[in-house]
Amino acid sequence: MAHPYYRTIFLIERLHRYFLEVVKAELDRRGVEDINNVQALILYNIGESELTVGELTAHGYYLGSNVSYNVRRMTENGYLEQHRSPHDRRSVRVRASAKGLETAKVLGAVFDQHVTAMEGTRLTEDGLAGVNETMASLERFWAGRLALPATMLSGAE
């Protein structure tokens, strides 16, 4: 029997894909065609903040995406406003426009609906808190693996 770790890494990847499909389906239901699911999540995570593209990339929530490309597209479609930092002209700062904030609020409302829909299911608040704790531990484990010398990663010493 394989260690549960193998199923965990498979499920993480599969759940991420399902989640992106749920976001896409919601955008489709609302007739939103000028933004994709990853871009909508970027807007949601920006919220009312103002960030650099580097800060967005560092958050690392955008698997398989090019954050710079997405920022450019969202700016072209009126979801983001960007300007050069007055302190470092090389740095570009972005914030959601009114259109972007509305999209972020819609996505937040969808997530709130999901929380309500979970009531009475096996997906309890305590259960999800436990899953979150486990995933945070796994994140720390993987981050630690990145910090190890290559000889330790391969098992050679």
Side-chain angles (χ1 to χ4, degrees):
M1 183 80 147
H3 193 280
Y5 175 76
Y6 297 104
R7 178 132 172 85
T8 300
I9 57 178
F10 172 76
L11 281 171
I12 290 169
E13 194 271 334
R14 191 168 71 181
L15 287 170
H16 180 70
R17 278 184 295 155
Y18 274 128
F19 176 67
L20 290 176
E21 287 302 314
V22 166
V23 172
K24 176 162 180 13
E26 191 59 42
L27 294 173
D28 290 348
R29 270 192 284 283
R30 294 171 184 273
V32 177
E33 296 179 352
D34 60 345
I35 192 170
N36 66 34
N37 48 10
V38 171
Q39 293 165 352
L41 287 171
I42 291 171
L43 285 172
Y44 178 78
N45 284 306
I46 291 173
E48 295 190 15
S49 301
E50 182 174 284
L51 304 166
T52 66
V53 174
E55 289 168 332
L56 274 174
T57 303
H59 282 106
Y61 300 125
Y62 317 111
L63 296 178
S65 76
N66 179 324
V67 175
S68 295
Y69 166 80
N70 285 319
V71 165
R72 186 175 72 246
R73 295 289 300 157
M74 288 187 291
T75 301
E76 290 169 357
N77 290 327
Y79 288 94
L80 286 180
E81 298 168 351
Q82 56 180 310
H83 63 91
R84 295 236 174 250
S85 169
H87 307 293
D88 181 356
R89 302 300 293 165
R90 297 168 297 170
S91 178
V92 175
R93 300 193 63 78
V94 297
R95 70 173 168 252
S97 66
K99 182 179 180 182
L101 284 172
E102 182 57 33
T103 300
K105 286 179 187 173
V106 165
L107 203 51
V110 168
F111 296 159
D112 289 343
Q113 290 169 359
H114 292 171
V115 169
T116 301
M118 286 180 198
E119 293 174 7
T121 71
R122 292 180 57 178
L123 296 169
T124 65
E125 190 172 343
D126 287 343
L128 289 172
V131 169
N132 293 342
E133 188 176 312
T134 299
M135 288 196 297
S137 295
L138 190 55
E139 179 181 33
R140 287 188 298 275
F141 172 77
W142 284 337
R145 300 283 92 190
L146 294 174
L148 291 175
T151 55
M152 293 192 73
L153 289 175
S154 67
E157 296 186 353

